[in-house]
Amino acid sequence: MATYIRSILKWNCHTLFKVNQVTVCETKLFRVYLSSSAEQTAVNRYHLLASMCIERKPVITSDLKPIEAEFSNVLAQIEYENSLLNDHELRHIEDEKRKKRLLDGTATEADLEASASQTAHDFEDLATAEFSKFQPASRTTEADEINDQKSVNRCLQGHLMLLLKRNRESFLLDGFGEWELPFAKHEEGETLRQTAERAVKENLGSGLQLNVLGNAPIGFYGVRYSKKYRKDGIEGAKVFFFRAHYVKGNVICNAADDYRWATRDEMDKMLVSNRKYFKAIKSFTYDDRFTYEPKNNLIVKTVQAAMKSRN
């Protein structure tokens, strides 16, 4: 390599006395060669990893926050006041008119026939009695009651993320923490998405059915290993995150020691040992703990003004 560089330098120096333009062009090419070589060397100093963020979407709607409930009531009242009468309400009005004609003695034969059939009020009584027998399903599950964090059938109102726990002796864990998303080292000939999908199979088995979102990474995390874990010139790792939605299936721990389906609050505690890693994950995940700030939120001010104007 050194001989090759010296030969290029000698050739450039020789052409310097002939054509300056050619010399400048060749010098630029030489600089590009050195730059690309340096970049390649820098890349080779890091492990290239792909990680999969597996998310279980909410199964049921979440409870309304106070401001959401107030706004919903305002909209319902506005819709009620501006709406036309439905068939049942029209039927009820007609029943009242028929009843009045029967009392006045001005009822027709058609009124007498209609009065023998079911009225709107009778229908309401039957519907109310039937509705009283209905028992809605519980919004909490058995997994919620026993706090089974390995079950996907818990916290149905929110998002759950799948976290793995690995053996701390692995050098790849330096800079990651006790809990992490499934990841794998990139191998020659595969795309980063294929690496992330392989990470799922290697760590969690092939029983999970996922819907991977896109072919491009949605997040990045870089880490430098401590001196204890640096081997063969490798200084750290560059992790590219992919995101997938859970469809169905069960987790089978292969390379991982343990796993958890964690809420956002639980992730705060489980990833407390590495806030930088958690910050990288938070950048592309949904936080269902969002709360309104009445003093600064324009939507809240609009709702409050609407409710005040109707009082």
Side-chain angles (χ1 to χ4, degrees):
M1 180 65 183
T3 305
Y4 176 70
I5 294 176
R6 282 197 298 270
S7 64
I8 295 179
L9 289 173
K10 289 181 179 178
W11 186 85
N12 280 327
C13 292
H14 178 70
T15 55
L16 178 64
F17 298 98
K18 293 185 178 181
V19 184
N20 289 334
Q21 185 177 359
V22 175
T23 304
V24 172
C25 180
E26 294 297 332
T27 303
K28 288 182 178 179
L29 289 175
F30 176 62
R31 288 175 180 173
V32 170
Y33 173 81
L34 288 179
S35 177
S36 62
S37 177
E39 291 176 359
Q40 185 65 30
T41 303
V43 170
N44 292 336
R45 295 202 305 267
Y46 291 86
H47 283 121
L48 184 60
L49 311 177
S51 181
M52 186 72 78
C53 176
I54 303 175
E55 175 187 14
R56 194 224 60 190
K57 301 285 287 182
V59 180
I60 59 177
T61 57
S62 60
D63 296 328
L64 294 180
K65 298 177 178 64
I67 187 64
E68 293 174 332
E70 292 182 33
F71 189 41
S72 177
N73 293 335
V74 170
L75 293 180
Q77 184 64 25
I78 293 174
E79 182 181 2
Y80 174 76
E81 294 175 359
N82 296 333
S83 64
L84 300 177
L85 297 177
N86 58 37
D87 292 342
H88 177 74
E89 291 171 326
L90 292 174
R91 179 183 173 187
H92 187 75
I93 294 174
E94 185 60 32
D95 287 342
E96 292 295 326
K97 292 180 179 179
R98 185 183 304 109
K99 181 180 179 180
K100 184 178 181 180
R101 288 195 298 268
L102 289 171
L103 293 175
D104 294 343
T106 59
T108 62
E109 185 177 351
D111 290 335
L112 295 175
E113 293 178 358
S115 62
S117 61
Q118 185 187 63
T119 64
H121 185 71
D122 294 335
F123 175 78
E124 288 182 5
D125 291 340
L126 291 174
T128 303
E130 184 177 355
F131 180 73
S132 63
K133 300 176 183 178
F134 173 75
Q135 295 294 331
S138 175
R139 296 175 66 86
T140 59
T141 64
E142 182 181 353
D144 287 318
E145 296 175 357
I146 63 176
N147 194 26
D148 184 7
Q149 296 184 348
K150 292 188 177 182
S151 173
V152 73
N153 297 317
R154 60 185 291 266
C155 300
L156 301 183
Q157 301 184 43
H159 295 70
L160 294 180
M161 302 293 176
L162 185 58
L163 297 179
L164 302 183
K165 183 178 182 181
R166 289 182 181 239
N167 185 352
R168 287 294 298 165
E169 296 301 322
S170 173
F171 73 96
L172 285 177
L173 285 178
D174 185 51
F176 284 76
E178 184 179 10
W179 293 91
E180 64 198 20
L181 301 178
F183 68 85
K185 290 177 62 176
H186 178 262
E187 294 182 355
E188 191 70 25
E190 66 181 4
T191 64
L192 284 175
R193 169 171 169 166
Q194 290 172 339
T195 304
E197 291 173 338
R198 177 169 55 83
V200 174
K201 292 183 179 180
E202 291 178 352
N203 291 279
L204 307 172
S206 57
L208 282 178
Q209 183 177 340
L210 307 175
N211 180 23
V212 183
L213 307 181
N215 295 316
I218 60 171
F220 171 80
Y221 171 66
V223 59
R224 289 179 62 88
Y225 298 146
S226 60
K227 294 182 179 180
K228 175 183 176 181
Y229 293 97
R230 294 182 187 179
K231 299 179 181 179
D232 302 327
I234 301 298
E235 298 182 2
K238 297 182 182 295
V239 187
F240 294 89
F241 295 102
F242 289 79
R243 189 175 179 181
H245 288 163
Y246 170 84
V247 179
K248 62 180 181 179
N250 299 318
V251 175
I252 302 176
C253 282
N254 291 333
D257 295 337
D258 202 357
Y259 72 94
R260 293 285 189 276
W261 286 102
T263 63
R264 196 57 177 265
D265 287 329
E266 292 165 349
M267 289 177 64
D268 281 341
K269 299 176 182 178
M270 297 169 71
L271 300 177
V272 68
S273 60
N274 192 339
R275 306 309 299 178
K276 183 180 178 182
Y277 182 65
F278 185 38
K279 183 179 179 181
I281 296 176
K282 288 196 298 184
S283 66
F284 57 83
T285 54
Y286 177 76
D287 190 353
D288 46 20
R289 302 172 302 175
F290 174 77
T291 56
Y292 293 104
E293 297 180 4
K295 294 183 179 179
N296 303 319
N297 195 290
L298 179 60
I299 298 178
V300 174
K301 291 181 179 179
T302 304
V303 174
Q304 292 175 340
M307 293 186 294
K308 184 178 181 180
S309 63
R310 300 191 64 81
N311 295 333

mmCIF file with all atom_site columns, all heavy atoms in Angstrom, residues 182-195:
data_model
loop_
_atom_site.group_PDB
_atom_site.id
_atom_site.type_symbol
_atom_site.label_atom_id
_atom_site.label_alt_id
_atom_site.label_comp_id
_atom_site.label_asym_id
_atom_site.label_entity_id
_atom_site.label_seq_id
_atom_site.pdbx_PDB_ins_code
_atom_site.Cartn_x
_atom_site.Cartn_y
_atom_site.Cartn_z
_atom_site.occupancy
_atom_site.B_iso_or_equiv
_atom_site.pdbx_formal_charge
_atom_site.auth_seq_id
_atom_site.auth_comp_id
_atom_site.auth_asym_id
_atom_site.auth_atom_id
_atom_site.pdbx_PDB_model_num
ATOM 1   N N   . PRO A 1 182 ? -34.717 -7.029  21.020 1.00 0.00 ? 182 PRO A N   1
ATOM 2   C CA  . PRO A 1 182 ? -33.962 -8.088  20.327 1.00 0.00 ? 182 PRO A CA  1
ATOM 3   C C   . PRO A 1 182 ? -33.124 -7.517  19.188 1.00 0.00 ? 182 PRO A C   1
ATOM 4   O O   . PRO A 1 182 ? -33.602 -6.690  18.413 1.00 0.00 ? 182 PRO A O   1
ATOM 5   C CB  . PRO A 1 182 ? -35.070 -9.022  19.797 1.00 0.00 ? 182 PRO A CB  1
ATOM 6   C CG  . PRO A 1 182 ? -36.304 -8.186  19.784 1.00 0.00 ? 182 PRO A CG  1
ATOM 7   C CD  . PRO A 1 182 ? -36.165 -7.230  20.910 1.00 0.00 ? 182 PRO A CD  1
ATOM 8   N N   . PHE A 1 183 ? -31.862 -7.958  19.088 1.00 0.00 ? 183 PHE A N   1
ATOM 9   C CA  . PHE A 1 183 ? -30.975 -7.476  18.020 1.00 0.00 ? 183 PHE A CA  1
ATOM 10  C C   . PHE A 1 183 ? -30.057 -8.599  17.571 1.00 0.00 ? 183 PHE A C   1
ATOM 11  O O   . PHE A 1 183 ? -29.931 -9.637  18.228 1.00 0.00 ? 183 PHE A O   1
ATOM 12  C CB  . PHE A 1 183 ? -30.162 -6.271  18.496 1.00 0.00 ? 183 PHE A CB  1
ATOM 13  C CG  . PHE A 1 183 ? -29.151 -6.589  19.559 1.00 0.00 ? 183 PHE A CG  1
ATOM 14  C CD1 . PHE A 1 183 ? -27.899 -7.062  19.231 1.00 0.00 ? 183 PHE A CD1 1
ATOM 15  C CD2 . PHE A 1 183 ? -29.456 -6.409  20.900 1.00 0.00 ? 183 PHE A CD2 1
ATOM 16  C CE1 . PHE A 1 183 ? -26.963 -7.369  20.207 1.00 0.00 ? 183 PHE A CE1 1
ATOM 17  C CE2 . PHE A 1 183 ? -28.536 -6.698  21.890 1.00 0.00 ? 183 PHE A CE2 1
ATOM 18  C CZ  . PHE A 1 183 ? -27.283 -7.189  21.541 1.00 0.00 ? 183 PHE A CZ  1
ATOM 19  N N   . ALA A 1 184 ? -29.400 -8.376  16.442 1.00 0.00 ? 184 ALA A N   1
ATOM 20  C CA  . ALA A 1 184 ? -28.439 -9.342  15.901 1.00 0.00 ? 184 ALA A CA  1
ATOM 21  C C   . ALA A 1 184 ? -27.399 -8.596  15.084 1.00 0.00 ? 184 ALA A C   1
ATOM 22  O O   . ALA A 1 184 ? -27.644 -7.492  14.589 1.00 0.00 ? 184 ALA A O   1
ATOM 23  C CB  . ALA A 1 184 ? -29.143 -10.398 15.041 1.00 0.00 ? 184 ALA A CB  1
ATOM 24  N N   . LYS A 1 185 ? -26.227 -9.198  14.945 1.00 0.00 ? 185 LYS A N   1
ATOM 25  C CA  . LYS A 1 185 ? -25.166 -8.622  14.124 1.00 0.00 ? 185 LYS A CA  1
ATOM 26  C C   . LYS A 1 185 ? -25.482 -8.820  12.653 1.00 0.00 ? 185 LYS A C   1
ATOM 27  O O   . LYS A 1 185 ? -25.959 -9.868  12.230 1.00 0.00 ? 185 LYS A O   1
ATOM 28  C CB  . LYS A 1 185 ? -23.826 -9.273  14.464 1.00 0.00 ? 185 LYS A CB  1
ATOM 29  C CG  . LYS A 1 185 ? -23.282 -8.909  15.831 1.00 0.00 ? 185 LYS A CG  1
ATOM 30  C CD  . LYS A 1 185 ? -21.992 -9.653  16.130 1.00 0.00 ? 185 LYS A CD  1
ATOM 31  C CE  . LYS A 1 185 ? -20.906 -9.303  15.137 1.00 0.00 ? 185 LYS A CE  1
ATOM 32  N NZ  . LYS A 1 185 ? -19.623 -9.954  15.474 1.00 0.00 ? 185 LYS A NZ  1
ATOM 33  N N   . HIS A 1 186 ? -25.199 -7.789  11.890 1.00 0.00 ? 186 HIS A N   1
ATOM 34  C CA  . HIS A 1 186 ? -25.440 -7.849  10.444 1.00 0.00 ? 186 HIS A CA  1
ATOM 35  C C   . HIS A 1 186 ? -24.431 -8.787  9.786  1.00 0.00 ? 186 HIS A C   1
ATOM 36  O O   . HIS A 1 186 ? -23.243 -8.786  10.116 1.00 0.00 ? 186 HIS A O   1
ATOM 37  C CB  . HIS A 1 186 ? -25.315 -6.449  9.840  1.00 0.00 ? 186 HIS A CB  1
ATOM 38  C CG  . HIS A 1 186 ? -25.502 -6.408  8.365  1.00 0.00 ? 186 HIS A CG  1
ATOM 39  N ND1 . HIS A 1 186 ? -24.456 -6.398  7.472  1.00 0.00 ? 186 HIS A ND1 1
ATOM 40  C CD2 . HIS A 1 186 ? -26.628 -6.393  7.614  1.00 0.00 ? 186 HIS A CD2 1
ATOM 41  C CE1 . HIS A 1 186 ? -24.920 -6.369  6.246  1.00 0.00 ? 186 HIS A CE1 1
ATOM 42  N NE2 . HIS A 1 186 ? -26.241 -6.355  6.301  1.00 0.00 ? 186 HIS A NE2 1
ATOM 43  N N   . GLU A 1 187 ? -24.923 -9.595  8.871  1.00 0.00 ? 187 GLU A N   1
ATOM 44  C CA  . GLU A 1 187 ? -24.075 -10.524 8.134  1.00 0.00 ? 187 GLU A CA  1
ATOM 45  C C   . GLU A 1 187 ? -24.039 -10.144 6.657  1.00 0.00 ? 187 GLU A C   1
ATOM 46  O O   . GLU A 1 187 ? -24.990 -9.544  6.134  1.00 0.00 ? 187 GLU A O   1
ATOM 47  C CB  . GLU A 1 187 ? -24.587 -11.964 8.293  1.00 0.00 ? 187 GLU A CB  1
ATOM 48  C CG  . GLU A 1 187 ? -24.485 -12.496 9.715  1.00 0.00 ? 187 GLU A CG  1
ATOM 49  C CD  . GLU A 1 187 ? -24.962 -13.931 9.835  1.00 0.00 ? 187 GLU A CD  1
ATOM 50  O OE1 . GLU A 1 187 ? -25.460 -14.473 8.815  1.00 0.00 ? 187 GLU A OE1 1
ATOM 51  O OE2 . GLU A 1 187 ? -24.851 -14.510 10.936 1.00 0.00 ? 187 GLU A OE2 1
ATOM 52  N N   . GLU A 1 188 ? -22.945 -10.509 6.021  1.00 0.00 ? 188 GLU A N   1
ATOM 53  C CA  . GLU A 1 188 ? -22.751 -10.166 4.608  1.00 0.00 ? 188 GLU A CA  1
ATOM 54  C C   . GLU A 1 188 ? -23.858 -10.783 3.757  1.00 0.00 ? 188 GLU A C   1
ATOM 55  O O   . GLU A 1 188 ? -24.232 -11.933 3.916  1.00 0.00 ? 188 GLU A O   1
ATOM 56  C CB  . GLU A 1 188 ? -21.383 -10.681 4.136  1.00 0.00 ? 188 GLU A CB  1
ATOM 57  C CG  . GLU A 1 188 ? -20.957 -10.163 2.769  1.00 0.00 ? 188 GLU A CG  1
ATOM 58  C CD  . GLU A 1 188 ? -20.628 -8.688  2.789  1.00 0.00 ? 188 GLU A CD  1
ATOM 59  O OE1 . GLU A 1 188 ? -20.261 -8.176  3.867  1.00 0.00 ? 188 GLU A OE1 1
ATOM 60  O OE2 . GLU A 1 188 ? -20.735 -8.057  1.722  1.00 0.00 ? 188 GLU A OE2 1
ATOM 61  N N   . GLY A 1 189 ? -24.418 -9.972  2.851  1.00 0.00 ? 189 GLY A N   1
ATOM 62  C CA  . GLY A 1 189 ? -25.405 -10.467 1.910  1.00 0.00 ? 189 GLY A CA  1
ATOM 63  C C   . GLY A 1 189 ? -26.843 -10.292 2.327  1.00 0.00 ? 189 GLY A C   1
ATOM 64  O O   . GLY A 1 189 ? -27.750 -10.629 1.565  1.00 0.00 ? 189 GLY A O   1
ATOM 65  N N   . GLU A 1 190 ? -27.107 -9.759  3.522  1.00 0.00 ? 190 GLU A N   1
ATOM 66  C CA  . GLU A 1 190 ? -28.478 -9.554  3.963  1.00 0.00 ? 190 GLU A CA  1
ATOM 67  C C   . GLU A 1 190 ? -28.736 -8.081  4.213  1.00 0.00 ? 190 GLU A C   1
ATOM 68  O O   . GLU A 1 190 ? -27.824 -7.310  4.519  1.00 0.00 ? 190 GLU A O   1
ATOM 69  C CB  . GLU A 1 190 ? -28.788 -10.363 5.225  1.00 0.00 ? 190 GLU A CB  1
ATOM 70  C CG  . GLU A 1 190 ? -28.022 -9.949  6.450  1.00 0.00 ? 190 GLU A CG  1
ATOM 71  C CD  . GLU A 1 190 ? -28.371 -10.808 7.669  1.00 0.00 ? 190 GLU A CD  1
ATOM 72  O OE1 . GLU A 1 190 ? -29.145 -11.764 7.514  1.00 0.00 ? 190 GLU A OE1 1
ATOM 73  O OE2 . GLU A 1 190 ? -27.869 -10.498 8.772  1.00 0.00 ? 190 GLU A OE2 1
ATOM 74  N N   . THR A 1 191 ? -29.983 -7.673  4.071  1.00 0.00 ? 191 THR A N   1
ATOM 75  C CA  . THR A 1 191 ? -30.362 -6.297  4.361  1.00 0.00 ? 191 THR A CA  1
ATOM 76  C C   . THR A 1 191 ? -30.514 -6.123  5.870  1.00 0.00 ? 191 THR A C   1
ATOM 77  O O   . THR A 1 191 ? -30.589 -7.095  6.625  1.00 0.00 ? 191 THR A O   1
ATOM 78  C CB  . THR A 1 191 ? -31.688 -5.950  3.668  1.00 0.00 ? 191 THR A CB  1
ATOM 79  O OG1 . THR A 1 191 ? -32.737 -6.768  4.213  1.00 0.00 ? 191 THR A OG1 1
ATOM 80  C CG2 . THR A 1 191 ? -31.600 -6.184  2.166  1.00 0.00 ? 191 THR A CG2 1
ATOM 81  N N   . LEU A 1 192 ? -30.582 -4.863  6.291  1.00 0.00 ? 192 LEU A N   1
ATOM 82  C CA  . LEU A 1 192 ? -30.745 -4.598  7.719  1.00 0.00 ? 192 LEU A CA  1
ATOM 83  C C   . LEU A 1 192 ? -32.088 -5.123  8.219  1.00 0.00 ? 192 LEU A C   1
ATOM 84  O O   . LEU A 1 192 ? -32.191 -5.622  9.343  1.00 0.00 ? 192 LEU A O   1
ATOM 85  C CB  . LEU A 1 192 ? -30.633 -3.098  7.994  1.00 0.00 ? 192 LEU A CB  1
ATOM 86  C CG  . LEU A 1 192 ? -29.220 -2.515  7.971  1.00 0.00 ? 192 LEU A CG  1
ATOM 87  C CD1 . LEU A 1 192 ? -29.272 -1.004  8.130  1.00 0.00 ? 192 LEU A CD1 1
ATOM 88  C CD2 . LEU A 1 192 ? -28.365 -3.133  9.073  1.00 0.00 ? 192 LEU A CD2 1
ATOM 89  N N   . ARG A 1 193 ? -33.118 -5.045  7.384  1.00 0.00 ? 193 ARG A N   1
ATOM 90  C CA  . ARG A 1 193 ? -34.414 -5.582  7.810  1.00 0.00 ? 193 ARG A CA  1
ATOM 91  C C   . ARG A 1 193 ? -34.334 -7.099  7.991  1.00 0.00 ? 193 ARG A C   1
ATOM 92  O O   . ARG A 1 193 ? -34.897 -7.635  8.948  1.00 0.00 ? 193 ARG A O   1
ATOM 93  C CB  . ARG A 1 193 ? -35.489 -5.227  6.782  1.00 0.00 ? 193 ARG A CB  1
ATOM 94  C CG  . ARG A 1 193 ? -36.792 -5.972  7.037  1.00 0.00 ? 193 ARG A CG  1
ATOM 95  C CD  . ARG A 1 193 ? -37.939 -5.511  6.210  1.00 0.00 ? 193 ARG A CD  1
ATOM 96  N NE  . ARG A 1 193 ? -39.077 -6.423  6.316  1.00 0.00 ? 193 ARG A NE  1
ATOM 97  C CZ  . ARG A 1 193 ? -40.304 -6.160  5.911  1.00 0.00 ? 193 ARG A CZ  1
ATOM 98  N NH1 . ARG A 1 193 ? -40.572 -4.993  5.352  1.00 0.00 ? 193 ARG A NH1 1
ATOM 99  N NH2 . ARG A 1 193 ? -41.273 -7.048  6.036  1.00 0.00 ? 193 ARG A NH2 1
ATOM 100 N N   . GLN A 1 194 ? -33.632 -7.780  7.090  1.00 0.00 ? 194 GLN A N   1
ATOM 101 C CA  . GLN A 1 194 ? -33.476 -9.227  7.226  1.00 0.00 ? 194 GLN A CA  1
ATOM 102 C C   . GLN A 1 194 ? -32.701 -9.563  8.500  1.00 0.00 ? 194 GLN A C   1
ATOM 103 O O   . GLN A 1 194 ? -32.990 -10.566 9.165  1.00 0.00 ? 194 GLN A O   1
ATOM 104 C CB  . GLN A 1 194 ? -32.766 -9.789  5.999  1.00 0.00 ? 194 GLN A CB  1
ATOM 105 C CG  . GLN A 1 194 ? -33.616 -9.748  4.743  1.00 0.00 ? 194 GLN A CG  1
ATOM 106 C CD  . GLN A 1 194 ? -32.841 -10.131 3.500  1.00 0.00 ? 194 GLN A CD  1
ATOM 107 O OE1 . GLN A 1 194 ? -31.606 -10.072 3.472  1.00 0.00 ? 194 GLN A OE1 1
ATOM 108 N NE2 . GLN A 1 194 ? -33.557 -10.507 2.446  1.00 0.00 ? 194 GLN A NE2 1
ATOM 109 N N   . THR A 1 195 ? -31.740 -8.714  8.853  1.00 0.00 ? 195 THR A N   1
ATOM 110 C CA  . THR A 1 195 ? -31.006 -8.922  10.103 1.00 0.00 ? 195 THR A CA  1
ATOM 111 C C   . THR A 1 195 ? -31.928 -8.772  11.307 1.00 0.00 ? 195 THR A C   1
ATOM 112 O O   . THR A 1 195 ? -31.874 -9.566  12.256 1.00 0.00 ? 195 THR A O   1
ATOM 113 C CB  . THR A 1 195 ? -29.846 -7.920  10.208 1.00 0.00 ? 195 THR A CB  1
ATOM 114 O OG1 . THR A 1 195 ? -28.993 -8.037  9.063  1.00 0.00 ? 195 THR A OG1 1
ATOM 115 C CG2 . THR A 1 195 ? -29.033 -8.167  11.465 1.00 0.00 ? 195 THR A CG2 1
#
